[in-house]
Amino acid sequence: MTSQHCKSNGRKRLSLFALLFFTTIQLGFAQSIELGEELFSSNCASCHYLGPESKKLIGPGLADHTLEEYTTEWLYSWIRNSAELIASGDEAAIAVYEEYNKSAMPAFPYFSDEDLDNVLAYIEQGPAEVVVDVAEVGVDGEASATSNTMVVLVAALVMLLLFAFVLARIKNVLKEIKGQETSSLLESALIWLKQTPIVIALFCIFMLLYALGGAWDGLLTVGVQKGYQPEQPIAFSHKIHAGENGVDCNYCHSGARHSKSAGVPSANVCMNCHTYIAGESESGKEEIAKIYDAIGFDPESRTYIEGYEQKPIEWIRVHNLPDLAYFNHSQHVNVAGVECQTCHGPIEEMEVVEQYSSLTMGWCIDCHREHKVDTANAYYHDLSENWVEKYHGEDISVDKIGGLECGKCHY
Ligand code: HEC
Ligand code: HEC
Ligand code: HEC
Ligand code: HEC
Ligand code: HEC
Ligand code: HEC
């Protein structure tokens, strides 16, 4: 009995120990993957696609199985200086180079062993799945509110008609009992209208007001540009870049995380890749040549033309709030953790960008009423305890922290 007890206790302790052990390992591991991801996205992502299918960008796709081919030592030397490794006559290195020999990989001699371990751990794990929260996109409160009112109105009308019908029946039954002449609902309605012309006048006034109301609504939505999709000076496709090639939004719109504006990338950013990619199809070549023309690059000699007067690419702005409104990207992307797609729709499927949301004041406010604030966020750390007291632990939506105050959104 006692020995049995002891044994099961021992087993418990053992599994507890194992649990602790593995959690610690995992914690340590997760951290290095995070650092690896940072290193990868700033140094490697422009040339290497990371994902389940090994797609080729400039370099080969680095899916987990690619790494199984090489030893860690080989990968260390390759990443630190691939040219040196090739020159040393290493067979594997020469084979990789021949396969992709149109461009050599830059050297990263300043990477420490730890950096390299982190990057390789990240490559091995692959990018975390992007969870796109499109559910909230449907928060188009105005539309659903209008359709709700319509349902109520129609229901009320049906009830009234039924009621009138029943009353007319009762009246007819009473008349029959008295032996008077009966009339149908329609007949008595016409007679009643003839006797009371004021009803017709009121009806006309109502219709007039209704029409005016429609016109007013129309005026309020002047300038609402939902669906706006201008043709751009270069046929840049988000589907090819963000979709098929999986380039991260932040690679080109780095401002979205740290500042008010997301920003549109300059031609230099395009050249990180298009120095090597001149296009395959005729139309692709033509469009990419426009980048070279803007920045002064000669694709034949692969050199920048000296003394060239660069012409900025004049992208046409798609999203545009009026000057009176203030919107800050980092507050939404970084602090609130809202996905780009919640507001901009499935950009990674668009050949040509289009304005997906209405961007009206009602749109902002609807989301502020519904969206919960992440109270665990360090940004609000000091405040969160007060809130929990004030709202007795219920969820706190953005309106409760002042998200409906005029001054927050208007200068
Ligand atoms: C400017 C583009 C570029 C950048 C940046 C770049 N690479 Fe490469 N990489 C290449 C090319 C091109 C090849 C193919 C071999 C060659 O032509 O030199 C390659 C090959 C590789 C290979 C061998 C893959 C295989 O399938 O055999 C590995 C591993 C690798 N790169 C890792 C990295 C890592 C890690 C980074 C970031 C620290 C990085 N690369 C940054 C262009 C790049
Ligand atoms: C390779 C660079 C690149 C990547 C990656 C990229 N974009 Fe863009 N984006 C651009 C360029 C260039 C424009 C301007 C031309 C246009 O509107 O198509 C643009 C325009 C936009 C616009 C419209 C801006 C306006 O004028 O109002 C939005 C919104 C946008 N991108 C969102 C995204 C999102 C979300 C992602 C990730 C899914 C993403 N972009 C990935 C380069 C990029
Ligand atoms: C909460 C909604 C929301 C989210 C989330 C959001 N945006 Fe925007 N975005 C807007 C609004 C509103 C505008 C128009 C801003 C203006 O005109 O001042 C805009 C404008 C833009 C523009 C063009 C103008 C500029 O600011 O430079 C780009 C590019 C853009 N967004 C990209 C992104 C990317 C990339 C992400 C994700 C990292 C993102 N947005 C996340 C609402 C959002
Ligand atoms: C991270 C690498 C990368 C960056 C940065 C990048 N591109 Fe590309 N781009 C590609 C790849 C890969 C293709 C597909 C190549 C092909 O089809 O031949 C491509 C194709 C294109 C095409 C041809 C599309 C077609 O129909 O064939 C155009 C135009 C283009 N890019 C414009 C741009 C512009 C403008 C920028 C800067 C705002 C940019 N790219 C930045 C990787 C990049
Ligand atoms: C998809 C949901 C969503 C949409 C759409 C949205 N917001 Fe927000 N907004 C948030 C969230 C969540 C926060 C809280 C962020 C935080 O924790 O500070 C926030 C915070 C803000 C704040 C700061 C409020 C405060 O008290 O600190 C301002 C200002 C703001 N939003 C403006 C706008 C404007 C202007 C628009 C429309 C153009 C808009 N937002 C559209 C979700 C949204
Ligand atoms: C969450 C952000 C937000 C808050 C809070 C907010 N607004 Fe707005 N407001 C906007 C945006 C965005 C627009 C631009 C809408 C457009 O272009 O259709 C706007 C437009 C307006 C306009 C111009 C009307 C029009 O249709 O062009 C007025 C007036 C206005 N707001 C008044 C107010 C007042 C008064 C309050 C406080 C009770 C307030 N707003 C609170 C975001 C906000």
Side-chain angles (χ1 to χ4, degrees):
M1 181 69 199
T2 9
S3 82
Q4 187 116 30
H5 189 77
C6 261
K7 228 190 255 166
S8 84
N9 235 357
R11 211 179 293 146
K12 250 188 227 154
R13 221 174 293 144
L14 197 69
S15 48
L16 193 70
F17 176 73
L19 192 74
L20 268 176
F21 183 71
F22 285 118
T23 342
T24 338
I25 286 197
Q26 259 186 337
L27 281 179
F29 210 59
Q31 199 179 19
S32 65
I33 285 182
E34 228 164 69
L35 290 176
E37 179 175 3
E38 267 175 38
L39 285 172
F40 188 89
S41 50
S42 48
N43 294 290
C44 325
S46 57
C47 296
H48 289 291
Y49 177 78
L50 190 58
E53 322 96 88
S54 13
K55 282 178 203 147
K56 191 177 146 275
L57 276 186
I58 290 159
L62 296 180
D64 46 0
H65 53 87
T66 326
L67 296 188
E68 283 164 16
E69 287 173 37
Y70 309 110
T71 63
T72 312
E73 279 70 44
W74 187 91
L75 286 167
Y76 273 23
S77 347
W78 173 269
I79 297 167
R80 286 212 175 105
N81 195 336
S82 63
E84 207 169 73
L85 193 63
I86 294 162
S88 79
D90 182 278
E91 267 175 39
I94 293 171
V96 181
Y97 183 70
E98 306 239 290
E99 196 177 341
Y100 301 95
N101 65 356
K102 51 178 185 170
S103 53
M105 174 165 138
F108 298 90
Y110 47 85
F111 270 31
S112 68
D113 284 2
E114 206 183 315
D115 288 342
L116 287 167
D117 288 341
N118 291 345
V119 168
L120 293 176
Y122 173 66
I123 293 175
E124 194 149 48
Q125 183 214 264
E129 249 174 66
V130 185
V131 185
V132 179
D133 184 5
V134 198
E136 276 154 61
V137 167
V139 196
D140 210 334
E142 282 165 66
S144 64
T146 349
S147 62
N148 273 347
T149 347
M150 278 311 279
V151 169
V152 173
L153 274 179
V154 168
L157 207 66
V158 169
M159 295 287 283
L160 273 178
L161 273 176
L162 272 175
F163 193 58
F165 185 72
V166 170
L167 279 184
R169 272 305 299 159
I170 294 175
K171 198 173 135 206
N172 277 346
V173 169
L174 286 178
K175 276 184 178 172
E176 264 166 31
I177 292 173
K178 281 201 208 156
Q180 286 173 346
E181 211 179 303
T182 61
S183 55
S184 75
L185 182 61
L186 195 68
E187 281 166 347
S188 32
L190 283 175
I191 293 166
W192 176 69
L193 272 182
K194 246 186 237 159
Q195 287 165 350
T196 43
I198 180 86
V199 175
I200 298 178
L202 279 177
F203 180 75
C204 289
I205 292 176
F206 171 79
M207 288 309 282
L208 194 73
L209 285 178
Y210 187 80
L212 276 177
W216 176 246
D217 270 356
L219 276 179
L220 278 186
T221 44
V222 164
V224 173
Q225 305 256 25
K226 188 169 172 172
Y228 179 50
Q229 193 178 32
E231 195 181 319
Q232 298 290 349
I234 299 180
F236 176 82
S237 158
H238 278 79
K239 188 168 173 228
I240 291 182
H241 292 85
E244 286 159 20
N245 285 297
V247 185
D248 187 20
C249 313
N250 290 300
Y251 185 78
C252 292
H253 302 291
S254 53
R257 222 157 267 280
H258 310 293
S259 61
K260 177 182 179 298
S261 296
V264 167
S266 70
N268 291 322
V269 175
C270 313
M271 290 305 287
N272 286 346
C273 295
H274 286 289
T275 310
Y276 310 105
I277 303 171
E280 270 159 27
S281 65
E282 253 338 286
S283 62
K285 277 191 191 124
E286 250 169 55
E287 296 300 322
I288 292 170
K290 292 185 192 164
I291 310 176
Y292 300 156
D293 182 49
I295 204 161
F297 179 78
D298 177 9
E300 298 296 317
S301 61
R302 286 211 176 142
T303 49
Y304 286 88
I305 301 161
E306 249 176 76
Y308 190 86
E309 198 175 316
Q310 299 189 348
K311 315 165 224 174
I313 303 168
E314 292 184 356
W315 301 112
I316 298 164
R317 213 177 149 130
V318 184
H319 299 76
N320 225 337
L321 286 179
D323 289 343
L324 55 88
Y326 170 83
F327 176 85
N328 186 318
H329 269 92
S330 70
Q331 176 127 39
H332 290 88
V333 175
N334 217 8
V335 180
V338 183
E339 294 286 345
C340 315
Q341 285 83 352
T342 308
C343 298
H344 292 300
I347 292 269
E348 68 284 354
E349 290 165 16
M350 297 181 194
E351 287 285 357
V352 181
V353 178
E354 111 174 46
Q355 182 178 320
Y356 180 83
S357 303
S358 65
L359 305 199
T360 55
M361 181 162 132
W363 174 73
C364 314
I365 297 224
D366 277 340
C367 180
H368 285 188
R369 287 220 173 96
E370 307 234 328
H371 205 99
K372 304 287 169 276
V373 174
D374 179 6
T375 44
N377 199 311
Y379 184 78
Y380 286 122
H381 200 68
D382 306 346
L383 295 173
S384 60
E385 277 181 28
N386 288 343
W387 289 355
V388 175
E389 252 169 50
K390 192 164 165 196
Y391 295 107
H392 303 290
E394 63 184 285
D395 283 338
I396 298 163
S397 47
V398 186
D399 52 346
K400 300 219 173 91
I401 62 163
L404 301 190
E405 285 166 22
C406 318
K408 290 268 169 79
C409 304
H410 291 292
Y411 291 106

